[in-house]
Coordinates of all heavy atoms in Angstrom, one line a residue:
K30 N -164.4 2.4 -12.0 CA -163.9 1.0 -12.0 C -163.2 0.7 -10.6 O -163.3 -0.4 -10.2 CB -162.9 0.9 -13.1 CG -163.4 1.0 -14.5 CD -162.6 0.3 -15.5 CE -163.4 0.4 -16.8 NZ -163.4 -0.8 -17.5
E31 N -162.7 1.8 -10.0 CA -162.1 1.6 -8.6 C -163.3 1.2 -7.6 O -163.1 0.4 -6.7 CB -161.4 2.9 -8.2 CG -160.0 3.1 -8.9 CD -159.1 1.9 -8.6 OE1 -158.9 1.5 -7.4 OE2 -158.4 1.5 -9.5
L32 N -164.4 1.9 -7.8 CA -165.5 1.7 -6.9 C -166.1 0.2 -7.1 O -166.4 -0.4 -6.1 CB -166.6 2.6 -7.3 CG -166.5 4.1 -6.7 CD1 -167.6 4.9 -7.3 CD2 -166.5 4.0 -5.2
V33 N -166.1 -0.2 -8.3 CA -166.4 -1.6 -8.6 C -165.5 -2.6 -7.9 O -165.9 -3.5 -7.3 CB -166.5 -1.9 -10.2 CG1 -166.7 -3.4 -10.4 CG2 -167.7 -1.1 -10.8
K34 N -164.2 -2.4 -8.0 CA -163.2 -3.1 -7.3 C -163.5 -3.2 -5.8 O -163.4 -4.2 -5.1 CB -161.8 -2.7 -7.5 CG -161.2 -3.1 -8.9 CD -159.8 -2.6 -9.1 CE -159.3 -2.7 -10.5 NZ -158.0 -2.2 -10.5
D35 N -163.7 -2.0 -5.2 CA -164.0 -1.8 -3.8 C -165.3 -2.7 -3.4 O -165.3 -3.3 -2.5 CB -164.2 -0.4 -3.4 CG -164.1 -0.2 -2.0 OD1 -163.2 -0.8 -1.2 OD2 -164.8 0.7 -1.4
V36 N -166.3 -2.6 -4.3 CA -167.6 -3.3 -4.0 C -167.3 -4.8 -3.9 O -167.7 -5.6 -3.0 CB -168.6 -2.9 -5.0 CG1 -169.8 -3.9 -5.0 CG2 -169.1 -1.5 -4.8
K37 N -166.5 -5.2 -5.0 CA -166.3 -6.7 -5.0 C -165.4 -7.2 -3.9 O -165.6 -8.2 -3.3 CB -165.5 -7.0 -6.3 CG -166.5 -7.0 -7.6 CD -165.9 -7.4 -8.9 CE -166.8 -7.2 -10.1 NZ -166.2 -7.7 -11.3
K38 N -164.4 -6.4 -3.4 CA -163.6 -6.7 -2.3 C -164.5 -6.8 -1.0 O -164.3 -7.7 -0.2 CB -162.5 -5.6 -2.1 CG -161.5 -5.9 -1.0 CD -160.6 -4.8 -0.8 CE -159.4 -4.8 -1.8 NZ -158.4 -3.8 -1.5
K39 N -165.3 -5.8 -0.9 CA -166.2 -5.9 0.3 C -167.1 -7.1 0.2 O -167.4 -7.7 1.3 CB -167.1 -4.6 0.4 CG -166.3 -3.4 0.9 CD -167.1 -2.2 1.0 CE -166.4 -0.9 1.3 NZ -165.4 -0.9 2.5
G40 N -167.6 -7.4 -0.9 CA -168.4 -8.7 -1.1 C -167.7 -9.9 -0.7 O -168.2 -10.7 0.0
D41 N -166.4 -10.0 -1.2 CA -165.6 -11.2 -0.8 C -165.4 -11.2 0.7 O -165.4 -12.3 1.3 CB -164.3 -11.1 -1.6 CG -164.4 -11.4 -3.0 OD1 -165.5 -11.9 -3.4 OD2 -163.5 -11.0 -3.8
G42 N -165.1 -10.1 1.3 CA -164.9 -10.0 2.7 C -166.2 -10.5 3.5 O -166.0 -11.3 4.5
A43 N -167.3 -10.2 3.0 CA -168.5 -10.6 3.7 C -168.7 -12.2 3.5 O -169.1 -12.9 4.5 CB -169.8 -9.9 3.1
K44 N -168.4 -12.6 2.3 CA -168.5 -14.1 2.1 C -167.5 -14.9 3.0 O -167.8 -15.9 3.6 CB -168.2 -14.4 0.6 CG -169.3 -14.0 -0.2 CD -169.2 -14.7 -1.6 CE -168.5 -13.8 -2.6 NZ -168.5 -14.3 -4.0
V45 N -166.3 -14.3 3.2 CA -165.3 -15.0 4.1 C -165.9 -15.0 5.5 O -165.8 -16.0 6.2 CB -163.9 -14.3 4.0 CG1 -163.0 -14.7 5.1 CG2 -163.3 -14.5 2.6
A46 N -166.5 -13.9 5.9 CA -167.0 -13.7 7.3 C -168.1 -14.8 7.5 O -168.2 -15.5 8.5 CB -167.6 -12.4 7.5
I47 N -169.0 -14.9 6.5 CA -170.1 -16.0 6.6 C -169.5 -17.4 6.6 O -169.9 -18.2 7.5 CB -171.0 -15.8 5.4 CG1 -171.8 -14.6 5.6 CG2 -171.9 -17.0 5.3 CD1 -172.7 -14.2 4.4
R48 N -168.5 -17.6 5.9 CA -167.8 -19.0 5.9 C -167.2 -19.2 7.3 O -167.2 -20.3 7.8 CB -166.8 -19.1 4.8 CG -167.5 -19.2 3.5 CD -166.5 -19.4 2.3 NE -167.1 -19.4 1.0 CZ -166.8 -18.5 0.0 NH1 -165.9 -17.6 0.3 NH2 -167.5 -18.4 -1.1
N49 N -166.6 -18.2 7.9 CA -166.0 -18.4 9.1 C -167.1 -18.7 10.3 O -166.8 -19.5 11.1 CB -165.2 -17.1 9.5 CG -163.9 -17.0 8.8 OD1 -163.4 -17.9 8.3 ND2 -163.5 -15.7 8.7
I50 N -168.2 -18.0 10.1 CA -169.3 -18.3 11.1 C -169.8 -19.8 10.9 O -170.0 -20.5 11.9 CB -170.4 -17.3 10.8 CG1 -170.0 -15.9 11.3 CG2 -171.7 -17.6 11.6 CD1 -171.0 -14.8 10.8
R51 N -169.9 -20.2 9.7 CA -170.2 -21.6 9.3 C -169.3 -22.6 9.9 O -169.7 -23.5 10.7 CB -170.4 -21.8 7.9 CG -170.7 -23.3 7.5 CD -170.5 -23.6 6.1 NE -169.1 -23.4 5.6 CZ -168.7 -23.3 4.4 NH1 -169.6 -23.5 3.4 NH2 -167.5 -23.1 4.0
R52 N -168.0 -22.2 9.8 CA -167.0 -23.1 10.4 C -167.0 -23.2 12.0 O -167.1 -24.3 12.5 CB -165.6 -22.6 10.0 CG -164.5 -23.5 10.5 CD -163.1 -22.9 10.4 NE -163.1 -21.9 11.4 CZ -162.6 -20.6 11.1 NH1 -162.2 -20.3 9.9 NH2 -162.6 -19.7 12.0
D53 N -167.3 -22.0 12.6 CA -167.4 -22.0 14.0 C -168.7 -22.7 14.5 O -168.6 -23.5 15.5 CB -167.5 -20.5 14.5 CG -166.2 -19.8 14.3 OD1 -165.1 -20.5 14.0 OD2 -166.2 -18.6 14.3
A54 N -169.8 -22.6 13.7 CA -171.0 -23.3 14.2 C -170.8 -24.7 14.0 O -171.2 -25.6 15.0 CB -172.1 -22.8 13.2
N55 N -170.2 -25.2 12.9 CA -170.0 -26.7 12.7 C -169.0 -27.2 13.8 O -169.3 -28.3 14.3 CB -169.4 -27.0 11.3 CG -170.5 -26.9 10.3 OD1 -171.7 -26.9 10.5 ND2 -170.0 -26.6 9.1
E56 N -168.1 -26.5 14.2 CA -167.2 -27.0 15.3 C -167.9 -27.0 16.6 O -167.7 -28.0 17.3 CB -166.0 -26.0 15.4 CG -165.0 -26.1 14.3 CD -163.8 -25.1 14.4 OE1 -163.8 -24.3 15.4 OE2 -163.1 -25.0 13.5
A57 N -168.8 -26.1 16.9 CA -169.6 -26.2 18.1 C -170.5 -27.4 18.1 O -170.6 -28.0 19.1 CB -170.4 -24.8 18.2
F58 N -171.1 -27.6 16.9 CA -172.0 -28.8 16.8 C -171.2 -30.1 17.1 O -171.7 -31.0 17.7 CB -172.7 -28.9 15.4 CG -173.6 -27.7 15.2 CD1 -173.8 -27.2 13.9 CD2 -174.3 -27.0 16.2 CE1 -174.7 -26.2 13.6 CE2 -175.1 -26.0 16.0 CZ -175.3 -25.5 14.6
K59 N -170.0 -30.2 16.5 CA -169.1 -31.3 16.7 C -168.8 -31.6 18.1 O -168.7 -32.7 18.7 CB -167.9 -31.3 15.9 CG -168.3 -31.5 14.3 CD -167.0 -31.4 13.5 CE -167.3 -31.4 12.0 NZ -166.2 -31.2 11.2
K60 N -168.6 -30.5 18.8 CA -168.2 -30.6 20.3 C -169.4 -31.0 21.1 O -169.3 -31.9 21.9 CB -167.8 -29.2 20.8 CG -166.3 -28.9 20.5 CD -166.0 -27.5 21.2 CE -164.6 -27.1 20.7 NZ -164.2 -25.8 21.3
M61 N -170.6 -30.5 20.7 CA -171.8 -30.9 21.4 C -172.1 -32.5 21.1 O -172.4 -33.2 22.1 CB -173.0 -30.1 20.8 CG -173.0 -28.7 21.3 SD -174.3 -27.7 20.5 CE -175.7 -28.4 21.3
E62 N -171.7 -33.0 19.9 CA -172.0 -34.3 19.6 C -171.0 -35.2 20.3 O -171.3 -36.2 20.9 CB -171.9 -34.5 18.1 CG -172.4 -35.9 17.6 CD -171.3 -36.9 17.4 OE1 -170.2 -36.6 17.1 OE2 -171.7 -38.1 17.3
K63 N -169.8 -34.6 20.4 CA -168.7 -35.4 21.2 C -169.1 -35.6 22.7 O -168.8 -36.5 23.3 CB -167.4 -34.7 21.0 CG -166.2 -35.4 21.5 CD -165.0 -34.7 21.3 CE -163.7 -35.3 21.8 NZ -162.5 -34.6 21.7
N64 N -169.7 -34.5 23.2 CA -170.1 -34.5 24.6 C -171.4 -35.2 24.9 O -172.0 -35.0 26.0 CB -170.0 -33.0 25.2 CG -168.7 -32.5 25.1 OD1 -167.6 -33.1 25.2 ND2 -168.7 -31.2 25.0
D65 N -172.0 -35.8 23.9 CA -173.3 -36.5 24.0 C -174.5 -35.6 24.3 O -175.4 -35.9 24.8 CB -173.2 -37.6 25.0 CG -172.3 -38.8 24.5 OD1 -172.2 -38.9 23.3 OD2 -171.6 -39.5 25.4
E66 N -174.3 -34.2 23.8 CA -175.4 -33.3 24.0 C -176.4 -33.5 22.9 O -177.6 -33.1 23.0 CB -174.9 -31.9 24.1 CG -174.0 -31.7 25.3 CD -173.3 -30.2 25.4 OE1 -173.9 -29.4 24.8 OE2 -172.3 -30.2 25.9
I67 N -176.0 -33.9 21.7 CA -176.8 -34.1 20.5 C -176.4 -35.4 19.9 O -175.3 -35.9 20.1 CB -176.7 -32.9 19.5 CG1 -175.3 -32.8 18.9 CG2 -177.3 -31.6 20.1 CD1 -175.2 -31.8 17.9
S68 N -177.4 -36.0 19.1 CA -177.0 -37.2 18.5 C -176.3 -36.9 17.1 O -176.3 -35.8 16.7 CB -178.3 -38.0 18.2 OG -179.2 -37.3 17.3
E69 N -175.8 -38.1 16.5 CA -175.2 -38.0 15.2 C -176.2 -37.5 14.2 O -175.7 -36.7 13.3 CB -174.6 -39.3 14.9 CG -173.6 -39.3 13.7 CD -172.9 -40.7 13.5 OE1 -172.8 -41.4 14.5 OE2 -172.7 -41.0 12.4
D70 N -177.4 -37.9 14.3 CA -178.5 -37.4 13.3 C -178.7 -35.9 13.4 O -178.8 -35.2 12.4 CB -179.8 -38.2 13.5 CG -179.6 -39.6 13.1 OD1 -178.6 -40.0 12.2 OD2 -180.4 -40.5 13.4
D71 N -178.7 -35.5 14.7 CA -178.9 -34.1 14.9 C -177.7 -33.3 14.4 O -177.9 -32.2 13.8 CB -179.0 -33.8 16.4 CG -180.3 -34.2 17.0 OD1 -181.3 -34.4 16.2 OD2 -180.4 -34.4 18.3
L72 N -176.5 -33.8 14.5 CA -175.3 -33.1 14.0 C -175.4 -33.0 12.5 O -175.2 -31.9 12.0 CB -174.1 -33.9 14.4 CG -172.7 -33.4 13.7 CD1 -172.4 -32.0 14.3 CD2 -171.6 -34.5 14.0
K73 N -175.8 -34.1 11.8 CA -175.9 -34.0 10.4 C -177.0 -33.0 9.9 O -176.8 -32.2 9.0 CB -176.3 -35.3 9.9 CG -176.3 -35.5 8.3 CD -176.5 -36.8 7.8 CE -176.6 -36.9 6.4 NZ -176.9 -38.2 5.8
E74 N -178.2 -33.0 10.6 CA -179.3 -32.1 10.3 C -178.8 -30.6 10.6 O -179.1 -29.8 9.6 CB -180.4 -32.4 11.2 CG -181.6 -31.5 10.9 CD -182.8 -31.9 11.8 OE1 -183.1 -33.1 12.2 OE2 -183.7 -30.9 12.0
L75 N -178.2 -30.3 11.6 CA -177.7 -28.9 11.9 C -176.7 -28.5 10.9 O -176.7 -27.4 10.6 CB -177.2 -28.9 13.4 CG -178.1 -28.9 14.5 CD1 -177.4 -29.2 15.7 CD2 -179.1 -27.8 14.5
T76 N -175.8 -29.4 10.6 CA -174.7 -29.0 9.6 C -175.4 -28.7 8.2 O -174.9 -27.7 7.6 CB -173.8 -30.2 9.5 OG1 -173.3 -30.5 10.8 CG2 -172.6 -29.9 8.5
E77 N -176.3 -29.5 7.9 CA -177.1 -29.2 6.6 C -177.8 -27.9 6.7 O -177.8 -27.1 5.6 CB -178.1 -30.3 6.2 CG -177.3 -31.7 5.8 CD -178.3 -32.9 5.6 OE1 -179.5 -32.7 5.8 OE2 -177.8 -33.8 5.4
K78 N -178.4 -27.6 7.8 CA -179.3 -26.3 7.9 C -178.2 -25.1 7.8 O -178.6 -24.1 7.2 CB -179.9 -26.2 9.2 CG -181.2 -27.0 9.2 CD -181.9 -26.9 10.5 CE -183.2 -27.7 10.6 NZ -183.9 -27.6 11.8
V79 N -177.1 -25.3 8.5 CA -176.1 -24.1 8.4 C -175.6 -24.0 7.1 O -175.4 -22.8 6.6 CB -175.0 -24.4 9.4 CG1 -173.7 -23.5 9.2 CG2 -175.4 -24.3 10.9
Q80 N -175.4 -25.1 6.2 CA -174.9 -25.0 4.9 C -175.9 -24.3 4.0 O -175.5 -23.5 3.2 CB -174.6 -26.4 4.4 CG -173.9 -26.3 2.9 CD -172.7 -25.6 2.9 OE1 -171.7 -25.8 3.7 NE2 -172.6 -24.8 1.9
K81 N -177.2 -24.6 4.2 CA -178.2 -24.0 3.4 C -178.3 -22.5 3.6 O -178.4 -21.7 2.7 CB -179.6 -24.6 3.7 CG -179.7 -26.0 3.1 CD -181.1 -26.6 3.4 CE -181.3 -28.0 2.8 NZ -182.4 -28.6 3.2
L82 N -178.2 -22.1 5.0 CA -178.1 -20.7 5.3 C -176.9 -20.0 4.7 O -177.1 -18.9 4.2 CB -178.1 -20.5 6.8 CG -179.4 -20.7 7.6 CD1 -179.2 -20.8 9.0 CD2 -180.4 -19.7 7.2
T83 N -175.8 -20.6 4.7 CA -174.5 -20.1 4.1 C -174.8 -19.9 2.6 O -174.4 -18.9 2.2 CB -173.4 -21.1 4.3 OG1 -173.3 -21.3 5.8 CG2 -172.1 -20.5 3.9
D84 N -175.3 -20.9 1.9 CA -175.5 -20.8 0.5 C -176.5 -19.5 0.2 O -176.2 -18.9 -0.7 CB -176.1 -22.0 -0.1 CG -175.1 -23.3 0.0 OD1 -173.9 -23.0 0.2 OD2 -175.5 -24.4 -0.1
K85 N -177.6 -19.5 0.9 CA -178.5 -18.4 0.7 C -177.9 -17.0 0.9 O -178.0 -16.1 0.1 CB -179.8 -18.5 1.7 CG -180.7 -19.5 1.2 CD -181.9 -19.6 2.2 CE -182.9 -20.7 1.9 NZ -183.9 -20.8 2.8
S86 N -177.0 -16.9 2.0 CA -176.4 -15.6 2.3 C -175.4 -15.3 1.2 O -175.3 -14.1 0.8 CB -175.7 -15.7 3.6 OG -176.7 -16.0 4.7
I87 N -174.6 -16.2 0.8 CA -173.6 -16.0 -0.2 C -174.2 -15.6 -1.6 O -173.9 -14.7 -2.3 CB -172.6 -17.2 -0.4 CG1 -171.8 -17.2 0.8 CG2 -171.9 -17.1 -1.7 CD1 -170.8 -18.4 0.8
E88 N -175.4 -16.2 -1.9 CA -176.2 -15.9 -3.1 C -176.7 -14.4 -3.0 O -176.7 -13.6 -4.0 CB -177.4 -16.9 -3.2 CG -178.1 -16.7 -4.4 CD -179.2 -17.8 -4.6 OE1 -179.1 -18.9 -4.2 OE2 -180.3 -17.4 -4.9
K89 N -177.2 -14.0 -1.8 CA -177.7 -12.6 -1.6 C -176.5 -11.7 -1.8 O -176.7 -10.6 -2.4 CB -178.2 -12.4 -0.2 CG -179.6 -13.1 0.0 CD -180.2 -12.8 1.4 CE -181.5 -13.5 1.6 NZ -182.0 -13.3 3.0
I90 N -175.4 -12.0 -1.2 CA -174.2 -11.1 -1.5 C -173.9 -10.9 -2.8 O -173.6 -9.9 -3.4 CB -173.0 -11.6 -0.5 CG1 -173.3 -11.4 0.9 CG2 -171.7 -10.9 -1.0 CD1 -172.3 -12.1 1.8
D91 N -173.8 -12.1 -3.5 CA -173.5 -12.0 -5.0 C -174.5 -11.2 -5.7 O -174.0 -10.4 -6.6 CB -173.4 -13.5 -5.6 CG -172.2 -14.3 -5.1 OD1 -171.2 -13.7 -4.8 OD2 -172.3 -15.5 -5.2
K92 N -175.7 -11.3 -5.5 CA -176.7 -10.5 -6.1 C -176.5 -9.0 -5.9 O -176.6 -8.1 -6.7 CB -178.1 -11.0 -5.8 CG -178.5 -12.2 -6.5 CD -180.0 -12.6 -6.1 CE -180.4 -13.9 -6.7 NZ -181.7 -14.2 -6.5
A93 N -176.2 -8.7 -4.6 CA -176.1 -7.3 -4.2 C -174.8 -6.7 -4.9 O -174.8 -5.6 -5.4 CB -175.9 -7.3 -2.7
V94 N -173.8 -7.5 -4.9 CA -172.5 -7.0 -5.6 C -172.9 -6.8 -7.1 O -172.4 -5.8 -7.7 CB -171.4 -8.0 -5.4 CG1 -170.2 -7.7 -6.3 CG2 -170.9 -8.0 -4.0
E95 N -173.5 -7.8 -7.8 CA -173.8 -7.6 -9.2 C -174.7 -6.3 -9.4 O -174.4 -5.6 -10.4 CB -174.5 -8.8 -9.6 CG -174.9 -8.8 -11.1 CD -175.7 -10.2 -11.5 OE1 -175.5 -11.2 -10.8 OE2 -176.4 -10.1 -12.4
N96 N -175.7 -6.2 -8.6 CA -176.5 -5.0 -8.7 C -175.9 -3.7 -8.6 O -176.0 -2.7 -9.3 CB -177.8 -5.0 -7.8 CG -178.7 -6.2 -8.2 OD1 -178.7 -6.7 -9.3 ND2 -179.6 -6.6 -7.1
K97 N -175.0 -3.6 -7.5 CA -174.2 -2.4 -7.2 C -173.3 -2.1 -8.3 O -173.1 -1.1 -8.8 CB -173.6 -2.5 -5.9 CG -173.0 -1.2 -5.4 CD -173.9 -0.1 -5.4 CE -174.6 0.2 -4.1 NZ -175.5 1.3 -4.1
T98 N -172.7 -3.2 -8.8 CA -171.7 -3.1 -10.0 C -172.5 -2.4 -11.2 O -171.9 -1.4 -11.8 CB -171.1 -4.4 -10.3 OG1 -170.4 -4.9 -9.3 CG2 -170.1 -4.2 -11.5
K99 N -173.6 -3.0 -11.6 CA -174.4 -2.5 -12.7 C -174.8 -1.0 -12.5 O -174.6 -0.1 -13.3 CB -175.6 -3.3 -12.9 CG -175.4 -4.6 -13.5 CD -176.7 -5.4 -13.6 CE -176.5 -6.8 -14.2 NZ -177.7 -7.5 -14.3
E100 N -175.1 -0.7 -11.2 CA -175.6 0.6 -10.9 C -174.4 1.6 -11.0 O -174.5 2.8 -11.5 CB -176.0 0.7 -9.4 CG -176.5 2.1 -8.9 CD -177.0 2.0 -7.4 OE1 -177.5 1.0 -6.9 OE2 -176.8 3.0 -6.7
I101 N -173.2 1.2 -10.6 CA -172.0 2.0 -10.7 C -171.6 2.3 -12.1 O -171.3 3.4 -12.5 CB -170.8 1.6 -9.8 CG1 -171.1 1.6 -8.3 CG2 -169.5 2.2 -10.1 CD1 -170.2 0.8 -7.4
L102 N -171.7 1.2 -12.9 CA -171.2 1.4 -14.2 C -172.2 2.1 -15.1 O -171.7 2.7 -16.2 CB -170.9 0.0 -14.8 CG -169.7 -0.8 -14.2 CD1 -169.7 -2.2 -14.8 CD2 -168.5 0.0 -14.3
T103 N -173.5 2.3 -14.8 CA -174.4 2.9 -15.5 C -174.3 4.4 -15.3 O -174.9 5.2 -16.2 CB -175.9 2.5 -15.3 OG1 -176.1 2.5 -14.0 CG2 -176.0 1.0 -15.9
V104 N -173.7 4.9 -14.3 CA -173.7 6.3 -14.0 C -172.7 7.1 -14.9 O -171.7 6.5 -15.3 CB -173.4 6.6 -12.4 CG1 -173.2 8.0 -12.2 CG2 -174.6 6.0 -11.6

């Protein structure tokens, strides 16, 4: 059970790291738009792409944590 807690804690840490990367990317895109390096439409498109990647990554982490939890508990 301690191993399961550790796995879940590491999964949560990974999700936080991914969300931080998303935040940094979105801030960079907003700066680019503010400096007229990209258009408002580009900003929206890039933000949506980053969100989709974030969702996919978090889904993968959740599956990995779930699989590892099952593996640990069956032993």
Side-chain angles (χ1 to χ4, degrees):
K30 296 208 179 223
E31 289 295 318
L32 284 173
V33 171
K34 284 183 186 178
D35 195 38
V36 167
K37 288 182 180 181
K38 187 186 274 188
K39 289 185 187 299
D41 288 340
K44 288 194 267 188
V45 168
I47 288 171
R48 290 185 187 118
N49 287 338
I50 292 167
R51 176 189 61 193
R52 185 195 65 230
D53 293 344
N55 286 338
E56 287 175 5
F58 297 149
K59 286 178 186 174
K60 282 183 185 177
M61 290 173 72
E62 195 257 339
K63 186 177 178 184
N64 295 333
D65 293 328
E66 295 174 31
I67 60 173
S68 69
E69 194 173 326
D70 291 339
D71 290 339
L72 172 66
K73 185 176 180 182
E74 183 180 329
L75 289 169
T76 304
E77 288 175 4
K78 284 183 179 180
V79 168
Q80 184 60 48
K81 286 180 184 177
L82 285 171
T83 302
D84 293 342
K85 283 182 184 177
S86 299
I87 287 178
E88 189 178 314
K89 285 181 182 178
I90 291 169
D91 286 339
K92 284 183 182 177
V94 167
E95 183 182 328
N96 290 340
K97 190 50 96 173
T98 300
K99 286 179 185 176
E100 183 181 325
I101 290 170
L102 293 177
T103 56
V104 172

